Each structure stands twice: as C-alpha cells, then as structure tokens.
Amino acid sequence: MSQDSRRHICFLTGTLNAMAGAERMTATIANALADLGHRVTILSLWDAASRFPLHPRVHHEALFAQRPSFKRAYFATVAGIRRHCTAHRIDVLVQVDTMLELFVLPATLGLGLHHIAWEHCHFDEDLGKPARKVARRLAAQFCRQVVVLTERDRRRWREALRPRSEVVCLPNPLPFPIPAEPAPRMQKTVLAMGRLVPAKGFDVLLRAWQKVAQAEPEWQLVIHGEGEERPALTALIGQLQLQDRASLPGICQDPAQAYGHASIFCLSSRYEGFGLVLIEAMAFGLPIISTDCETGPRELLTPGQDALVVAADDADALAKALLTVIRQPELASRLGAGGRDKASQFTLERLALQWDALVKAPG
C-alpha cells in the first residue's frame, strides 16, 4: 500500500476484555486493516487486556484500569480520547458503539478527523439507555459514515433520522476461513452458542428440548456461553430433568471443534443485532433452526433454503422444527449445503476490502 493511501485508524471501544460479538469484531477488523498496511490503534475506555488475539502492528491501550463512573469521569474521558487522537496522529476514528458519540463529538472538535460510527444494535433497540437515541441523532449528523449490519437497519436510519452521514451496510465477517469440508454431522448433538442472558432465549430452548429429549432420547443439547443467566438455566435443567440431555460447558475456546462435533445449530434469541453465530454454523454446513427475531436472522436466513424459522418465545414451535430436522436427514443436508453457499458472502477478505475502501474514502 502506498504511503499516501495508508491511514492512522483508531477503534474506540468500551473494552476488549469481554467475550461478546462487538468486541470480537473490533479485534477482527482492526487486525485485517493492520494486515492491509494501515496503522491501527484500539483505545478501550477501560481495561488494557483483550480476550481476542491482536495483530502485532495493532497498538492497544486503555484510558482507565477499571470501568469508572462515566458521569464522574466524563471530562477525563473526553480529554483522554482527544489526547490519544493527537498523540497517534489519528486520521480515522471508528467508534464501536453509537453511544460513544457523546464523548467523541466534544473530544474531536476542530481535529478534522474522518469519523465513523459502527452500530451493532438494531435501530429499534436502545438496550435500556434512552441516551442512545440522542447519540444516534448526533452520529447521523456529525459522522462521515454510519456503519450498520443489515439493509433493514440502513433503511430505518435513513427513514427515521434523515442523516447527513452516509449510512453504509457492512455485515460482520466470518472470523475464520470457510472450512475446506463441512462438519461430518455424525454426532447426535444440537449446538447453541451465545451469552447466557435473557435476550438469547435459552430458557425457551430448554423448554423445547424437554419435548425433543422425550421423543429422541439419544440426542444431546450443548449450549456454549457464559453470563448472568447461568444459575437460572442450571436450575431449569434440573427442574425439567434434563441433566443427562443438556449441558452448559461455558465459553467455547475452540469454535471449530464445537461446530465440527454438532449436527444441527439452533438460535433461540428474542433479539439479535446480527447473529454472527449463524454465519459460522453455515460455514460448517450445519442446518439452522432459528427464531424470526430482529434483525440479523430475518435478513441472513432464507426459510426452507438454509434454515427452518419459527416465532420467538415459542417453545412448541422450536421443538417441532428441531424434530423435523432430526427426523429428515435429506432436509438437514439440503439446509446445510444452502447455508455453506451463503457463508461465502461473508469472508473476512471480502469485508476487509470494503472496510479498506471506507477508511480511504475522500471527505
């Protein structure tokens, strides 16, 4: 890459020391842009540790050792972001949450930065923070681009906010290359993966699994992830007498092994920003059963072609779909093959080049 097309890019995020989708994508895209020759820093608001490996040329630092009260530390945070941008001569600032606009706008006044907001929530979800709506309005007026994950969200931003910013749809990429071979699907295992939080609907999945386990007792459910719902889900497994049929083995350290040992993937979410696990499972050729929740599943899946899709919060419908795929191997194979075709649209190489064009776009 020529010197004049290389950018100094900063990704501003809350923390990288959390096993979650936005954090994982920050590391993935930062690494890919460093690989393409850009100079990349990641500024975490707190905690200089990262759960995800970083490219040797990605510099990571944090403003605070632990999460502060941002009401009390507001001015220190704004000053810290500005200091980082001037010290590293940042050209492009990518904020990994539209909420960060409340810090970034005052922090970058007069610096002339190319400013990108990267939205990981869908537009109609504020995650309990009314200030998110204000931050989105500011991002829509003051950022050069707002990056959203789905076309539906791109439409919502444009209809609702009439932004001066360009709203760009860039889906999350697969964080690993498409496997040369699909999973063998020899084991009678249904895999689910995600944080153990109410949004993921694992309580609904366990109620559905009680019906599946009665009808197909040789099958096992494995739910990978960690979070606040672990005690409640463990209690529910006991209450439904699924101790020998369902397990919660914690965070998945080796996704390739988890997908490779499964025969079906199930997403039971009440809400999803994107649903990267769906693309991962498709890359391994696993048939998908998913809820029809906003926004990712609705856009990523083609019912009957690469997935069976049911209403959210409906344990009976979920059980019925699981049993359909378990009992119809030809359907399972067809859905798995359809998913593998679709996963090829989400390779990191493809998305990295789109990000590269974005950060080099003239003002």
Side-chain angles (χ1 to χ4, degrees):
M1 187 186 288
S2 66
Q3 289 290 111
D4 57 2
S5 65
R6 211 171 65 175
R7 297 285 186 269
H8 290 209
I9 305 164
C10 172
F11 286 84
L12 176 68
T13 188
T15 180
L16 284 185
N17 200 11
M19 268 316 249
E23 289 75 6
R24 186 181 186 186
M25 279 301 115
T26 302
T28 300
I29 297 296
N31 289 345
L33 289 173
D35 218 29
L36 289 172
H38 296 286
R39 285 190 48 189
V40 181
T41 68
I42 299 175
L43 179 62
S44 289
L45 294 186
W46 71 92
D47 198 339
S50 174
R51 285 288 181 96
F52 306 97
L54 296 175
H55 192 288
R57 289 205 303 274
V58 172
H59 171 77
H60 180 215
E61 60 184 67
L63 285 184
F64 304 100
Q66 279 96 32
R67 182 175 187 147
S69 154
F70 284 109
K71 278 183 185 160
R72 283 202 292 274
Y74 179 78
F75 293 107
T77 305
V78 168
I81 294 168
R82 190 175 183 89
R83 199 164 49 243
H84 181 93
C85 290
T86 51
H88 292 277
R89 302 202 306 281
I90 296 302
D91 304 310
V92 182
L93 179 66
V94 182
Q95 57 178 61
V96 185
D97 184 336
T98 42
M99 279 289 278
L100 294 170
E101 184 68 13
L102 301 172
F103 300 112
V104 167
L105 196 55
T108 58
L109 270 176
L111 295 184
L113 293 184
H114 176 170
H115 183 185
I116 299 171
W118 190 5
E119 175 67 276
H120 290 266
C121 289
H122 77 74
F123 186 82
D124 298 298
E125 175 62 65
D126 65 12
L127 297 181
K129 292 182 177 170
R132 194 177 293 279
K133 290 189 174 73
V134 177
R136 282 181 178 140
R137 286 189 179 280
L138 292 172
Q141 294 309 309
F142 295 104
C143 292
R144 194 184 298 177
Q145 288 105 358
V146 174
V147 173
V148 297
L149 301 179
T150 63
E151 280 298 334
R152 177 208 173 275
D153 249 26
R154 195 170 88 88
R155 287 192 299 272
R156 290 290 293 119
W157 271 78
R158 292 176 71 177
E159 286 160 12
L161 299 181
R162 303 198 179 284
R164 281 167 46 190
S165 314
E166 182 190 4
V167 185
V168 181
C169 173
L170 283 182
N172 285 335
L174 258 179
F176 49 73
I178 291 196
E181 295 295 326
R185 297 196 296 109
M186 300 299 287
Q187 299 192 19
K188 296 184 172 183
T189 301
V190 172
L191 175 67
M193 204 178 288
R195 284 176 301 135
L196 306 184
V197 293
K200 299 298 179 186
F202 293 135
D203 54 326
V204 182
L205 177 53
L206 286 169
R207 293 185 191 284
W209 194 250
Q210 185 187 35
K211 297 176 169 58
V212 176
Q214 282 168 357
E216 296 288 343
E218 292 177 358
W219 280 73
Q220 290 286 325
L221 172 66
V222 176
I223 302 174
H224 270 293
E226 204 46 83
E228 74 216 33
E229 287 274 283
R230 174 174 283 280
L233 293 172
T234 304
L236 186 57
I237 286 172
Q239 185 190 325
L240 299 172
Q241 299 186 315
L242 291 172
Q243 295 92 327
D244 300 329
R245 299 278 179 271
S247 58
L248 300 167
I251 286 168
C252 180
Q253 304 300 342
D254 184 355
Q257 190 181 26
Y259 291 114
H261 286 167
S263 288
I264 296 169
F265 187 84
C266 185
L267 185 132
S268 53
S269 298
R270 296 179 165 99
Y271 150 75
E272 274 294 336
F274 181 69
L276 182 66
V277 285
L278 293 173
I279 306 294
E280 294 181 352
M282 285 176 177
F284 279 89
L286 295 182
I288 307 281
I289 289 152
S290 174
T291 51
D292 179 27
C293 67
E294 298 277 14
T295 55
R298 202 163 283 180
E299 187 157 313
L300 293 174
L301 301 173
T302 309
Q305 198 170 305
D306 46 42
L308 294 189
V309 176
V310 302
D313 252 322
D314 187 338
D316 289 339
L318 202 56
K320 190 176 169 189
L322 283 161
L323 286 169
T324 299
V325 175
I326 285 170
R327 289 169 172 173
Q328 295 183 31
E330 286 116 27
L331 171 65
S333 296
R334 187 162 56 73
L335 295 175
R340 237 170 104 80
D341 284 348
K342 189 175 280 183
S344 63
Q345 299 169 25
F346 297 89
T347 60
L348 180 54
E349 294 76 15
R350 189 170 171 168
L351 271 301
L353 290 175
Q354 289 175 270
W355 271 96
D356 181 59
L358 193 71
V359 299
K360 292 193 294 203

